[in-house]
Amino acid sequence: MNTYRQKGFAMWTRAVFGLLLSALGLIGAQMLDFYVVDVGQGNATLVVAPSGQTMLLDAGRPETADRVLAVMQEAGVKKLDYLVLSHYHDDHMGGVAAIADKVKVGAFMDHGASVESGKSEEWWKTIKGAQYREGMGKAYDAAFAEYVIATQKGRRSVVNPGDAIPLQGVEVLAVCARGKKISSPLKGAGMPNAACADTELRLDDYEEDGQSIGLLFTWGKFRFIQLGDLTWNASYSLFCPANPIGTVDAYVITHHARSYPRETGDMSWSASSCPKAEVHGLRPRVALLSFNRGGTVRKADALAAVRSSPGLEDQWQTELIVQGPEKEYNAPEQFIAKTGGAGDRAAYIKLSVRADGSFTVTNSRNGYTKNYAPRQ
């Protein structure tokens, strides 16, 4: 090989090697991001996969849809590959129509028929008790109809327990839906759950909450779970007598940490969430609380269960708890995304996960971050 050809080959080799290093650098820099958005009362979690595909899990209320859109814009998200609705309550589905008007949604995914749609006012009176208001059934039917119309802008499909959502590069598994659960334990799970002994059964829930789709996200060693508004007995059925899911790194506290005492009535008591069987079974390292206002929505018992969970390192919140006995369960100020009341500013807690299972949590309000090593 002559000198010129040798030099040319060497330059070509260095260029190819440089490109490979750059590509490997990009792969190493890839992140799985979760944005737990402050929507006041409700849930909305934006997921951006390393592949660039996107998912919105619940959409908050109609009046807070702009907050979700603002966070999407900040995250550079211009379309949604999937919009997954855990269940048909206004604080989860209310923002769907407004969001679908502004951005393209490829697929809408939900649990199918609503168990509350078309019910009589007598049924609503029985279910809601002291919380019943005249015309509640008609208002619900109108809101559900608006959601169904919005789904016509994309494909709509039903999620069953055990279904996988094809978010490219990330395993997304429905562990519960439509009041049912996965039929067999996941790899490495299925051990007897000792916390079941501290969890007594209550009344069954006949509302939408108990129908919630629960999703488990897995990327390498990292695991994130969000169970919608899964209620007490539905959670017990999922996690007892054996835990089919195993442990997780991050956990969005179920049903906004709703935990009514029995003296408020059997229906409210039974619609509570976060039994020890669930929280202690999952053993999250990080718990994320969405909708934090105290007073009318009680949280003390649920937050006590979360705080006592083995292995919990931190609790992060979308809002400060400002009243009621729940105030003592506030996280330190730097872990709270909004401290000044409801407001209109979009706020969120962001989890950025690396391929090795390590992750960083960031507070949008103050930029405070904390790094977490991979689970051993």
Side-chain angles (χ1 to χ4, degrees), residues 2 16 35 64 75 94 181 225 230 235 267 284 297 311 316 322 335 342:
N2 64 42
V16 171
Y35 298 79
T64 57
K181 62 179 182 178
I225 197 165
L230 200 67
S235 177
M267 297 302 292
V297 179
W316 295 74
V322 297
F335 290 84

Side-chain angles (χ1 to χ4, degrees), residues 147-182:
Y147 166 75
V148 173
I149 292 170
T151 64
Q152 295 172 5
K153 295 178 180 178
R155 304 183 308 276
R156 184 184 177 194
S157 58
V158 173
V159 176
N160 293 296
D163 285 353
I165 298 176
L167 187 67
Q168 188 177 342
V170 182
E171 295 178 35
V172 186
L173 179 72
V175 296
C176 60
R178 301 189 298 110
K180 302 181 183 299
K181 62 179 182 178
I182 51 176

Side-chain angles (χ1 to χ4, degrees), residues 76-338:
V77 173
K78 297 180 179 179
K79 67 180 183 65
L80 293 169
D81 293 289
Y82 304 98
L83 196 161
V84 183
L85 193 68
S86 64
H87 65 293
Y88 307 120
H89 277 165
D90 200 45
D91 57 334
H92 295 252
M93 75 172 176
V96 170
I99 291 169
D101 276 343
K102 297 289 180 65
V103 298
K104 179 177 174 55
V105 179
F108 297 86
M109 310 183 84
D110 52 50
H111 69 71
S114 167
V115 299
E116 296 182 11
S117 179
K119 297 295 186 183
S120 68
E121 288 299 315
E122 286 302 316
W123 182 89
W124 284 95
K125 287 179 183 178
T126 301
I127 291 294
K128 293 298 183 182
Q131 298 176 356
Y132 172 75
R133 299 293 181 270
E134 189 70 32
M136 186 174 279
K138 289 182 180 179
Y140 177 84
D141 288 347
F144 180 63
E146 183 179 37
Y147 166 75
V148 173
I149 292 170
T151 64
Q152 295 172 5
K153 295 178 180 178
R155 304 183 308 276
R156 184 184 177 194
S157 58
V158 173
V159 176
N160 293 296
D163 285 353
I165 298 176
L167 187 67
Q168 188 177 342
V170 182
E171 295 178 35
V172 186
L173 179 72
V175 296
C176 60
R178 301 189 298 110
K180 302 181 183 299
K181 62 179 182 178
I182 51 176
S183 58
S184 56
L186 305 181
K187 184 178 179 180
M191 299 297 291
N193 186 350
C196 294
D198 293 330
T199 306
E200 61 175 322
L201 281 169
R202 300 182 181 183
L203 300 179
D204 286 337
D205 169 46
Y206 299 101
E207 298 180 76
E208 271 293 311
D209 292 329
Q211 305 294 307
S212 289
I213 295 172
L215 294 184
L216 174 68
F217 296 78
T218 304
W219 192 45
K221 294 180 179 180
F222 179 85
R223 306 176 95 211
F224 175 105
I225 197 165
Q226 186 162 334
L227 297 171
D229 284 359
L230 200 67
T231 44
W232 195 271
N233 279 9
S235 177
Y236 183 93
S237 175
L238 176 59
F239 288 97
C240 294
N243 173 7
I245 296 172
T247 59
V248 299
D249 295 280
Y251 161 71
V252 175
I253 299 174
T254 303
H255 207 170
H256 329 294
R258 174 171 168 164
S259 54
Y260 284 96
R262 191 164 194 173
E263 54 265 28
T264 60
D266 282 348
M267 297 302 292
S268 293
W269 177 64
S270 300
S272 298
S273 299
C274 306
K276 279 189 176 182
E278 173 183 307
V279 186
H280 288 217
L282 291 171
R283 297 191 173 205
R285 299 175 61 193
V286 167
L288 302 135
L289 179 59
S290 176
F291 175 46
N292 306 324
R293 295 168 217 156
T296 58
V297 179
R298 304 189 186 187
K299 305 175 183 297
D301 290 345
L303 292 176
V306 171
R307 290 291 184 89
S308 65
S309 179
L312 183 75
E313 296 178 44
D314 292 304
Q315 174 181 303
W316 295 74
Q317 299 173 204
T318 57
E319 285 188 33
L320 177 73
I321 301 172
V322 297
Q323 58 183 337
E326 296 82 3
K327 287 194 299 182
E328 68 177 280
Y329 293 102
N330 270 316
E333 180 271 339
Q334 66 265 33
F335 290 84
I336 303 172
K338 185 174 289 185

Side-chain angles (χ1 to χ4, degrees), residues 42-57:
N43 275 107
T45 300
L46 175 66
V47 186
V48 183
S51 63
Q53 282 200 314
T54 57
M55 174 189 293
L56 182 64
L57 178 53

